[in-house]
Amino acid sequence: MAKRIGMEVSIAAAEAVALADVDVIAAYPITPQTHIVEHLSELVANGHLDAEFIPVESEHSAMSCCVGSAAAGARTFTSTSSQGYALMSEICYIAAGLRLPIVMLTANRALSAPISIWNDHADMMMSRDTGWIQTVAENGQEVIDLVFHAFRVAEDQRVLLPVIVNLDGFILSHMIEPMILLDKEEVDRYLPPYRPKLRLDPKEPITMGPVGMPEVYTESKVAHDEALKASRAVITEAWKEFGDLFGRYYHPVETYKTEDAETILITMGSISETAMTAVDAMRADGRSVGLARIRLWRPFPTEELIAAVKGARTLAVMDRALTLNGVCGPVCAELKSALYDRDLHPYLQNYIVGLGGRDVTVQNFMEMSDGVVEAAERGAPMGYEIINVRE
Amino acid sequence: MVEIRFHGRGGQGAVTSAELTALAAIEEGKFAQAFPSFGPERRGAPVMAFVRVSEQQIRTREKIYEPNIVVVLDPSLLEIVNVEAGLREGGLVVLNTSKSAEELRRETGLKARLAIVDATKIALETMRLPITNTTMLGALLKASGIMPIDALRSPIQNRFGPIAEKNLAACLRAFDETNVEG
C-alpha cells in the first residue's frame, strides 16, 4: 500500500528512484548537487538498493558513464544542477541522439555569474534543445510521481529517449512536506522491467554513435525530432494509466479556473501553487482570472496550451529565465509562436520572475495579473518586464 | 494556517527544529512545509528556518514574511536580530532565556506576548550539551498548542536514534517549565 510520508523532497525522490529498481547511478557528489544522489549512495552502501553507484570525477563523466551504462542495457539514473548541468551538457546531446533511455532529476538553479546556488530556470533553458523529454514538477508529490513516469516513458520501445524531471532547486529540492509514496508492488505494476531490444554486447556487436556524414546527419535529426513528437502519445498514455492505477492524473497543461477567465496567467514549476492562491484571492475579489500551468516542456504541448488560453482576452506569461535581449522569455516565445500560427491575437505581457532565488509572492501574481489588464487598456507595447527589480 | 520562524545560530539545530515540527504535524495528519533560509551554511552565524502547519493542503511557495510565532534558540541573538520583524498582530515569541519576562522587556524592548524557558540549562542538565533545538520544541508546543507533545515522539526517535531518549526528556521538561504570558 502507498503510504503518506513527511520527508525532504530530494530524499523522497531518491526513494522513488530506488523503488524504480535502477541498475546504475553515476553522479558527481559536490555543490551544486542535491541530497538526491547522496541518499541513493547511502541506499546502495547500506545494501537497501542493489545497484552500481559510480562516484565520478565530474558531471561530464557522470553523463558519459550514464551513456555507457544505458547503451549496455542497464536502467540508468543521474541528477544534477546548474553549473554541473552546464558541464555535462555536451554529453546530454549525445545521450538523446543515441536514443538512450536515461532518467535525470534536475534541481533547477541559476547559472553563474554572479555565483548563485539558488533557483531559476536558466539551466533548464540552456539544455532546452538537447532533445530530451522534459517534465516539470510543481510540488514534492509530482516529483516522485514523475520519476516513475519518466522511466516508463523513456524505456517504452515506441520512445527510447532520455527524460529529465525538473524540480525547482531549494524551493522544492530542500522542502519537507507530505507526499504519498507508492510501495514496491505498486511501482512494479506500473513500471515493467527494462528489456532493451538493442544494446552493446560483445557477443552480438553493433555500432552506436558513428560519424554522421552530411548525407545522413539531417535524416538522423529528423528521426530524433519525429521520435520526440511521437513520444507525446506515450507520455499522455502513461499519465492516464498512472491516474487509473493510483488516482493522481497528470496532463501536459493543467488548468485552474480558466473556463470563463478573461485573464489567464501562464506558469511552469513551483510558482504555480503560489499563483493558484493568488487566483483564488482575485476570484474572491470578483476578478476574472485563471491559471494554465505547463507540466510538459519538451515535447512542447502546443495544442493543449492554445486550448487552455484561447478564450482569454489578456495573458500574463511568467518566465523564470531571461533570454537576454531576445523578443521575450523562452516560455513566452513558444506561446507567441503558437498563437501567430493560429492567427490568435490576445493581449500578452511577459514577466520575468524569480531569478537566482528571488521570491515570487502571491502579491506579485496579483500585480502582474492587474498589470496586464491595465497595460492592455492603455495599449502599451507587448514586451517583457523583469519584476521586483530594486532601484 | 500557522507560520513559524526559528532563529538560531548555524550548528544549533534551528533547521532541525523546523523539520521536526513539520514531520510531527504531517504524522498527525496535517499538512506542513519546513524549509531553511536557503544559503551556504556557516557555523555560528545567525540562521533562520521556517515552518507552515495547516489543516488544508498548503498552496504557496513564497517565503514567510509575517509569522504567527517566532522561536529564538539562542538568547544572544536578541542583541543583533530583530526577532519581532514581521510578527503578526497577537503573535507569540518563544524564547530561550534565563531571565524573567520583565527583565527581557526592559533590556530588549520586546513587545509581543512571550513564552520563556531556560532551555540552555535544561539541555545542559539533561543532555550535557548546550544544543536547544529539541528543548525549544517542547516550549513551542506548550506555548502554541498546535499539536499534542506526543506528536514529537516518533520524529525525535527517528532522527536521534541512541540519543533520542535524552532529547525527548529535555523536550518534555521544557514543555513543563515554559511560562506563557496570558
Side-chain angles (χ1 to χ4, degrees):
Chain A
M1 267 291 279
K3 63 173 187 289
R4 188 174 188 264
I5 53 166
M7 209 178 260
E8 185 185 297
V9 171
S10 281
I11 307 290
E15 291 284 336
V17 171
L19 280 167
D21 203 14
V22 67
D23 298 314
V24 175
I25 302 142
Y28 185 57
I30 198 167
T31 301
Q33 191 48 276
T34 61
H35 295 147
I36 297 170
V37 290
E38 181 182 315
H39 188 59
L40 279 166
S41 73
E42 283 169 4
L43 291 175
V44 172
N46 66 22
H48 288 158
L49 173 61
D50 181 17
E52 283 294 324
F53 186 95
I54 308 172
V56 290
E57 70 281 11
S58 79
E59 306 272 358
H60 189 276
S61 303
M63 188 50 69
S64 299
C65 258
C66 288
V67 164
S69 154
R75 183 170 282 171
T76 304
F77 174 83
T78 189
S79 178
T80 191
S81 264
S82 66
Q83 304 308 120
Y85 198 1
L87 183 56
M88 73 162 52
S89 63
E90 178 192 348
I91 315 298
C92 289
Y93 280 85
I94 296 171
L98 295 184
R99 309 283 303 275
L100 298 170
I102 298 161
V103 170
M104 175 154 78
L105 275 162
T106 304
N108 300 116
R109 307 201 206 191
L111 292 167
S112 300
I115 294 171
S116 170
I117 55 167
W118 291 273
N119 167 251
D120 70 28
H121 290 171
D123 58 0
M124 193 197 310
M125 298 311 158
M126 167 196 71
S127 54
R128 184 189 64 182
D129 295 336
T130 51
W132 290 50
I133 292 168
Q134 298 206 41
T135 56
V136 186
E138 283 172 24
N139 56 39
Q141 185 66 59
E142 294 189 5
V143 172
I144 55 178
D145 289 348
L146 289 176
V147 165
F148 304 126
H149 177 260
F151 282 109
R152 164 84 181 243
V153 169
E155 294 168 0
D156 191 299
Q157 290 296 320
R158 296 167 291 172
V159 177
L160 290 179
L161 283 168
V163 180
I164 289 168
V165 177
N166 290 287
L167 67 148
D168 281 327
F170 277 123
I171 296 166
L172 289 184
S173 64
H174 288 57
M175 180 71 70
I176 289 180
E177 61 184 51
M179 288 158 272
I180 294 166
L181 187 62
L182 302 177
D183 72 13
K184 185 78 183 82
E185 184 266 327
E186 288 167 319
V187 174
D188 288 348
R189 227 182 318 149
Y190 180 68
L191 181 63
Y194 176 41
R195 305 216 188 288
K197 288 220 171 84
L198 278 179
R199 64 191 192 94
L200 288 184
D201 180 355
K203 290 194 212 85
E204 294 175 55
I206 57 166
T207 299
M208 284 190 189
V211 176
M213 303 295 277
E215 291 74 19
V216 298
Y217 186 88
T218 299
E219 286 68 25
S220 72
K221 288 292 148 189
V222 170
H224 187 169
D225 192 49
E226 291 292 328
L228 202 51
K229 191 186 289 176
S231 73
R232 287 162 199 275
V234 181
I235 290 166
T236 47
E237 174 193 297
W239 272 332
K240 168 79 165 54
E241 192 178 324
F242 188 92
D244 290 345
L245 280 171
F246 309 119
R248 290 188 296 281
Y249 288 89
Y250 295 107
H251 305 93
V253 174
E254 307 279 354
T255 56
Y256 186 68
K257 302 188 178 177
T258 50
E259 290 75 19
D260 59 341
E262 289 178 14
T263 299
I264 293 180
L265 317 179
I266 292 126
T267 56
M268 189 160 75
S270 66
I271 57 169
S272 304
E273 294 199 324
T274 314
M276 284 159 89
T277 298
V279 166
D280 287 344
M282 289 186 284
R283 284 274 180 179
D285 194 37
R287 282 175 276 184
S288 178
V289 183
L291 172 69
R293 299 119 64 201
I294 297 169
R295 168 154 4 268
L296 181 63
W297 174 231
R298 282 295 181 274
F300 190 74
T302 310
E303 297 303 330
E304 292 90 341
L305 187 58
I306 292 289
V309 305
K310 67 170 186 248
R313 283 217 299 245
T314 46
L315 303 176
V317 189
M318 287 43 166
D319 263 295
R320 204 161 197 160
L322 179 61
T323 304
L324 293 103
N325 263 263
V327 176
C328 55
V331 172
C332 188
E334 300 285 349
L335 178 58
K336 268 190 178 172
S337 303
L339 291 167
Y340 185 89
D341 288 349
R342 282 152 191 79
D343 206 18
L344 293 166
H345 304 278
Y347 185 83
L348 183 157
Q349 283 291 348
N350 183 206
Y351 296 100
I352 311 297
V353 306
L355 299 182
R358 181 67 52 86
D359 200 14
V360 192
T361 64
V362 171
Q363 183 65 30
N364 289 151
F365 282 106
M366 305 209 301
E367 286 163 6
M368 289 186 280
S369 178
D370 290 347
V372 72
V373 174
E374 187 270 326
E377 281 167 5
R378 158 162 78 80
M382 293 193 263
Y384 70 84
E385 180 191 340
I386 306 174
I387 71 154
N388 281 351
V389 179
R390 294 189 296 123
E391 296 298 330
Chain B
M1 182 157 68
V2 178
E3 295 185 316
I4 307 168
R5 183 174 69 217
F6 289 85
H7 289 275
R9 289 182 180 276
Q12 288 179 334
V15 174
T16 304
S17 292
E19 289 180 14
L20 292 170
T21 307
L23 292 175
I26 292 167
E27 206 147 305
E28 287 286 292
K30 298 177 194 292
F31 293 87
Q33 293 177 338
F35 51 100
S37 51
F38 306 130
E41 292 81 0
R42 294 157 298 161
R43 185 165 286 269
V47 297
M48 290 187 284
F50 303 89
V51 178
R52 289 191 171 96
V53 176
S54 172
E55 300 299 324
Q56 280 88 39
Q57 190 177 352
I58 299 167
R59 281 206 306 216
T60 180
R61 298 283 169 187
E62 67 173 44
K63 294 174 184 168
I64 291 175
Y65 298 97
E66 296 181 340
N68 309 83
I69 303 169
V70 170
V71 183
V72 185
L73 269 58
D74 186 324
S76 73
L77 288 170
L78 293 175
E79 295 163 26
I80 52 172
V81 178
N82 174 16
V83 299
E84 288 181 312
L87 186 68
R88 277 193 212 177
E89 188 83 25
L92 176 70
V93 177
V94 186
L95 276 169
N96 168 21
T97 179
S98 58
K99 296 176 179 164
S100 70
E102 296 71 37
E103 272 179 281
L104 273 172
R105 282 192 198 288
R106 200 167 51 239
E107 288 174 15
T108 64
L110 286 170
K111 293 182 185 64
R113 193 158 68 94
L114 301 180
I116 56 174
V117 64
D118 193 346
T120 305
K121 175 165 166 266
I122 294 175
L124 280 171
E125 288 178 5
T126 318
M127 302 187 289
R128 301 191 184 284
L129 282 172
I131 296 178
T132 56
N133 54 357
T134 45
T135 314
M136 287 304 288
L137 289 181
L140 168 66
L141 292 206
K142 170 74 168 287
S144 66
I146 50 176
M147 55 194 155
I149 188 75
D150 275 347
L152 279 168
R153 209 169 274 277
S154 111
I156 286 179
Q157 272 159 356
N158 292 338
R159 171 59 61 95
F160 294 105
I163 55 164
E165 283 312 312
K166 284 183 178 170
N167 275 280
L168 257 176
C171 177
L172 292 170
R173 191 174 147 196
F175 185 85
D176 288 337
E177 292 184 13
T178 299
N179 288 311
V180 189
E181 286 186 330

